[in-house]
Amino acid sequence: MPKILFVMTGADHWTLADGTQHPTGFWAEEFVVPFEKLKAAGYEIVVATPGGVVPTVDKGSLAPEANGGQENADHRAHVIGTSTELNNPVDLAGVDLDDYAAVFYPGGHGPMEDLAVDADSGRLLADILASGKPLAVVCHAPAALLAAQGEDGANIFAGYALTGFTNAEEAQAGFADKAEWLLQDRLVAIGADFREGEPWAPKVVVDRTLITGQNPASSGGVADELLKALS
């Protein structure tokens, strides 16, 4: 059975501009929806985090209003609580890309804290880009791309068309004026061709082997494009 690596945040907070720590982690929908789609298609999922810590779910992402109702919220909470893959992660530093057909990064504010500056993740991203295998990244997880630099010091995703959580969405979520930096601004600064869609509406951008989604609602579309790339 071919394997897909889920690289997930190990952070349980996001440090804001004033130094306070906002409790966070990964976003439930962005893990559960692709996880279920990819498993249903016959792929084995392996979760990796910095240090091999069990990922923390952002409690806000389990609220009924974040899931289209209580039924979805309960289902996603159940999947997260019972997933052996999620609760037995491997250490990101020990990952061998040869073992995997593709790599997927779910979001949540957590990646802004750790994956944005994680050297192991940065090396993995460089390796997967060079390998030609599909790479899928959604919402705040494109923060991880900031740590991927080439030998010349330039970001390897410069010139790629991509998307991620937008400044407008961060403002509507109430964090734009509290954050130390904004994801859209940083992606533009590294030379990426940032493609912004309507706030909260599904938007998926595919450029070469890179598949990105703007927000939680884009999770399913990102998984569908990843399956298409693997077929």
Side-chain angles (χ1 to χ4, degrees):
M1 184 184 297
K3 298 179 182 179
I4 296 177
L5 183 71
F6 273 41
V7 179
M8 300 183 65
T9 180
D12 61 5
H13 67 274
W14 175 34
T15 305
L16 302 177
D18 66 359
T20 60
Q21 295 184 349
H22 170 68
T24 186
F26 70 91
W27 199 257
E29 180 176 3
E30 297 168 28
F31 169 77
V32 174
V33 171
F35 176 78
E36 292 191 315
K37 279 179 175 279
L38 296 169
K39 285 196 74 172
Y43 289 91
E44 180 181 342
I45 306 299
V46 175
V47 172
T49 62
V53 301
V54 175
T56 298
V57 65
D58 188 314
K59 289 183 172 55
S61 71
L62 293 176
E65 56 270 24
N67 293 281
Q70 190 66 55
E71 185 176 351
N72 272 348
D74 290 345
H75 172 72
R76 289 168 182 169
H78 176 74
V79 172
I80 289 166
T82 59
S83 162
T84 56
E85 297 92 341
L86 187 66
N87 291 290
N88 295 277
V90 301
D91 188 343
L92 181 57
V95 164
D96 184 348
L97 184 59
D98 290 342
D99 295 337
Y100 302 97
V103 176
F104 174 72
Y105 279 69
H109 277 116
M112 302 274 282
E113 184 74 19
D114 61 353
L115 297 180
V117 293
D118 189 279
D120 293 319
S121 176
R123 283 191 291 271
L124 177 68
L125 289 167
D127 288 346
I128 192 167
L129 211 60
S131 75
K133 294 178 180 180
L135 169 64
V137 194
V138 67
C139 199
H140 284 92
L145 308 186
L146 302 174
Q149 295 181 334
E151 293 181 3
D152 60 357
N155 191 283
I156 61 174
F157 292 96
Y160 272 77
L162 52 76
T163 190
F165 205 67
T166 64
N167 291 355
E169 287 167 323
E170 205 70 87
Q172 291 178 24
F175 288 106
D177 60 349
K178 300 175 183 176
E180 188 172 352
W181 51 272
L182 297 177
L183 179 59
Q184 181 176 348
D185 291 346
R186 286 286 177 92
L187 292 171
V188 170
I190 65 168
D193 176 11
F194 192 91
R195 305 288 178 88
E196 180 175 359
E198 289 297 314
W200 313 109
K203 182 174 180 63
V204 178
V205 175
V206 180
D207 186 352
R208 289 160 276 185
T209 55
L210 177 65
I211 304 161
T212 51
Q214 179 172 311
N215 47 35
S218 306
S219 303
V222 167
D224 291 340
E225 287 293 340
L226 180 53
L227 286 170
K228 194 183 302 182
L230 286 164
S231 63

